[in-house]
Amino acid sequence: MAAVASFEENVAAAGRYLARFSAAPALHLIGGEAAASASGETFANASPIDGMHLGDVAAGGSDDIAAAAGAARASFAEWSGTPGGERKRLLHAVADAIEARADEIAVVESVDTGQAIRFMSSAALRGAENFRFFADQAPAASDGLALPSADHLNYTSRRAIGPVGVITPWNTPFMLSTWKIAPALAAGCTVVHKPAEWSPLTACLLAEIALEAGLPPGVLNVVHGTGEAAGRALTEHPDIAAVAFVGESATGSAIQAQAAPTLKRLHFELGGKNPVIVFDDAHIDRALDAVVFMIYSLNGERCTSSSRLLVQRSIHDDFTERLADKLRNIRVGHPLDPATVIGPLIHPRHCDKVRSYIQLASTEGATVVEGTPWAGAPPGGNFVAPVLFTGATNDMRIAQEEIFGPALTAIAFDDEDHAVALANDTDYGLAAYVWTSDVGRAHRVAGAVDAGMVWVNSQNVRHLPTPFGGTKRSGIGRDGGDWSFDFYMETKNVAVAHGDHPIPKLGG
Ligand code: NAD
């Protein structure tokens, strides 16, 4: 596995796996065929490590989306009519093929996104797990309920909604794409995937893997390109019945407007400013480890990162001092080095944004504790040392706005009511984390926090049958378990009279 390979082995593997992307542009996959853009245009894909040119990528527009939506429409009847057991078999074959190429996926993802290899190797396997989980649900996905009434037998069933669009962000693209695409395929939908333009490469691998594993041509299509061109065209296309989107809240608003004329069903997983609430009766060592892990793993580029630390005043100074000690030991470095925790951020623009918040923190009156930068960082790389902001208040922008980097804002609270008030004083409501040894308090706070997901005395451990999603500006709808099928399928009710129920007689 790549995770235990040495830095040198990973670098050599990256050379092998990335050669194809520098030799020829990464293309769309439409109807089972690799395709250049109708316009012939491409865009450049740069490494976050040193700005090096990784290769060109086909820049899709409305013509390419139309071709992909056409392919998805053409293959829909056959795929949605394929027995669930056969879809299950094919999706397990995709999972097998992902596992067989997990090293390659991990290395390519790590170089393309800047995420440390220690996290990316398991991201590839999580992708396979997503396929297996939803594959197993495929045979029963269309089952419904019997709802008898006095005169009728009502029964429900579900069928795939149609071709769907999946639009994904750049932070952990492979895992996130599989989280959306696997249930769509299991439900019987065909898919047009528009990956993020800042990390397009593993979407090529997934499409290729799926085709080689036996998925019929046209069932999974990929169109690269910017959000404004390819993304917009996908959300506006009349053949696309629904759009599953993961990304920023502001983009979600734009997509809602773009999709309105064609009345698409929408599912949004958006941003977060998630609180982790640490009470003074918590298991402090475990809480500390979880706080550090949930903001400084995955470069802090994680929707569920615990980016607001709400810590009880009685333990605030001790807790933040211990946190600062750990922070200084967190290794920033080359993402292919297995010792690295924080790699380069995705893009110079995003790096500037994160740095601007570090400056803002001082202007707003917080104290900035900086981690240890990487002395060997190549020029042109997007490296930022992890930071902790202490002495912050919840009205500061560093406490309200999603930074999406390795930056943690610490705020002191006095008691349970104060903690809940601070936790809820945000536009977001994706996740929350609560640390306490008081069982009653754990349940009270979990109930009172306005978030789609609450972890108690736990870091973010996912269980695929559970619902995933947020409230407020963090999203609309839920994924996971049967919630995913509810989104990708239409429910039908059939009412059959079994007696002579009254029928009003009109007209004689
Ligand atoms: P983004 O919104 O900028 O881009 C996401 C995708 O949307 C990209 O593929 C982009 O090309 C596309 N896009 C942009 N404008 C579009 C438009 N007008 N129409 C259609 N598509 C368009 O987000 P990002 O910067 O790539 O990702 C970071 C964000 O994603 C953060 O806010 C993060 O919290 C969020 N995120 C949320 C979850 C979750 O599950 N809630 C998971 C991961 C990331």
Side-chain angles (χ1 to χ4, degrees):
M1 284 304 309
V4 294
S6 69
F7 176 48
E8 290 72 21
E9 285 166 335
N10 286 334
V11 169
R16 283 197 309 278
Y17 295 138
L18 287 156
R20 58 179 278 196
F21 295 112
S22 56
L27 300 177
H28 313 304
L29 185 87
I30 300 177
E33 301 288 337
S37 289
S39 67
E41 286 177 16
T42 58
F43 64 91
N45 183 29
S47 162
I49 303 165
D50 51 11
M52 199 182 87
H53 183 63
L54 291 176
D56 292 325
V57 181
S62 51
D63 289 346
D64 308 295
I65 289 293
R73 170 57 67 197
S75 55
F76 176 68
E78 196 176 336
W79 180 246
S80 59
T82 299
E86 175 61 5
R87 287 203 302 274
K88 171 179 171 178
R89 189 190 66 74
L90 281 167
L91 297 183
H92 273 291
V94 174
D96 292 343
I98 290 173
E99 282 169 2
R101 286 173 70 177
D103 283 354
E104 177 186 2
I105 294 164
V107 166
V108 172
E109 186 92 315
S110 185
V111 174
D112 204 20
T113 61
Q115 298 283 10
I117 192 74
R118 65 161 68 205
F119 303 120
M120 286 307 95
S121 51
S122 56
L125 297 176
R126 262 291 304 279
E129 205 186 316
N130 288 339
F131 267 91
R132 292 200 193 286
F133 175 78
F134 289 109
D136 287 343
Q137 320 289 317
S142 58
D143 290 357
L145 300 171
L147 300 165
S149 63
D151 303 309
H152 292 78
L153 172 63
N154 291 271
Y155 62 89
T156 70
S157 62
R158 290 191 300 200
R159 62 180 173 81
I161 190 170
V164 299
V166 171
I167 302 180
T168 47
W170 44 257
N171 56 327
T172 51
F174 188 82
M175 197 287 290
L176 278 173
S177 307
T178 59
W179 175 238
K180 314 304 276 189
I181 290 170
L185 297 177
C189 296
T190 52
V191 173
V192 178
H193 177 207
K194 208 300 280 174
E197 56 271 42
W198 284 355
S199 60
L201 299 187
T202 51
C204 301
L205 300 185
L206 178 61
E208 188 177 290
I209 285 169
L211 199 61
E212 284 170 10
L215 210 65
V219 170
L220 171 59
N221 306 276
V222 179
V223 176
H224 297 284
T226 63
E228 200 36 56
R232 170 184 277 274
L234 182 57
T235 59
E236 291 177 345
H237 200 282
D239 274 346
I240 298 296
V243 171
F245 169 73
V246 186
E248 284 186 20
S249 306
T251 314
S253 300
I255 289 176
Q256 209 162 27
Q258 291 161 201
T262 47
L263 282 177
K264 288 188 181 14
R265 183 181 289 179
L266 298 173
H267 183 257
F268 288 164
E269 288 181 10
L270 309 175
K273 192 73 183 177
N274 311 297
V276 50
I277 307 173
V278 183
F279 288 95
D280 60 7
D281 61 3
H283 190 311
I284 299 297
D285 291 348
R286 287 180 62 76
L288 188 59
D289 285 340
V291 167
V292 169
F293 177 72
M294 282 308 302
I295 185 66
Y296 300 121
S297 60
L298 297 176
N299 291 349
E301 296 166 329
R302 178 180 198 158
C303 57
T304 49
S305 74
S306 57
S307 51
R308 267 190 313 149
L309 167 63
L310 308 180
V311 56
Q312 196 149 16
R313 204 174 298 280
S314 48
I315 57 165
H316 172 274
D317 291 353
D318 183 52
F319 195 86
T320 52
E321 274 161 30
R322 288 181 63 192
L323 215 162
D325 286 343
K326 283 184 177 281
L327 174 88
R328 293 185 191 98
N329 287 327
I330 285 179
R331 175 89 78 98
V332 182
H334 194 294
L336 293 177
D337 184 339
T340 291
V341 173
I342 297 183
L345 304 188
I346 181 77
H347 192 273
R349 273 218 307 278
H350 184 58
C351 202
D352 288 348
K353 173 185 154 180
V354 172
R355 288 199 180 112
S356 77
Y357 279 101
I358 299 174
Q359 280 174 356
L360 178 68
S362 311
T363 317
E364 287 191 305
T367 301
V368 179
V369 182
E370 285 203 61
T372 311
W374 182 28
N382 310 323
F383 291 89
V384 172
V387 285
L388 167 68
F389 308 138
T390 60
T393 54
N394 205 52
D395 56 347
M396 293 178 180
R397 285 180 52 204
I398 55 166
Q400 289 291 328
E401 297 174 16
E402 187 185 42
I403 300 173
F404 218 55
L408 175 62
T409 303
I411 300 165
F413 70 82
D414 298 312
D415 56 22
E416 190 177 312
D417 288 346
H418 190 204
V420 170
L422 289 174
N424 288 341
D425 179 17
T426 168
D427 290 339
Y428 294 105
L430 187 59
Y433 305 86
V434 182
W435 287 87
T436 178
S437 297
D438 179 332
V439 177
R441 169 187 277 162
H443 288 289
R444 280 194 304 276
V445 175
V449 169
D450 188 356
M453 298 169 287
V454 181
W455 277 270
V456 177
N457 295 332
S458 167
Q459 50 113 342
N460 179 325
V461 177
R462 291 279 296 118
H463 180 50
L464 299 185
T466 61
F468 185 99
T471 64
K472 301 195 274 186
R473 282 181 65 77
S474 288
I476 298 177
R478 295 290 179 272
D479 270 334
D482 200 56
W483 286 273
S484 295
F485 290 111
D486 254 352
F487 178 72
Y488 292 113
M489 302 182 90
E490 290 282 16
T491 298
K492 177 186 283 180
N493 186 65
V494 176
V496 181
H498 52 69
D500 292 335
H501 66 287
I503 300 177
K505 291 183 186 296
L506 305 179

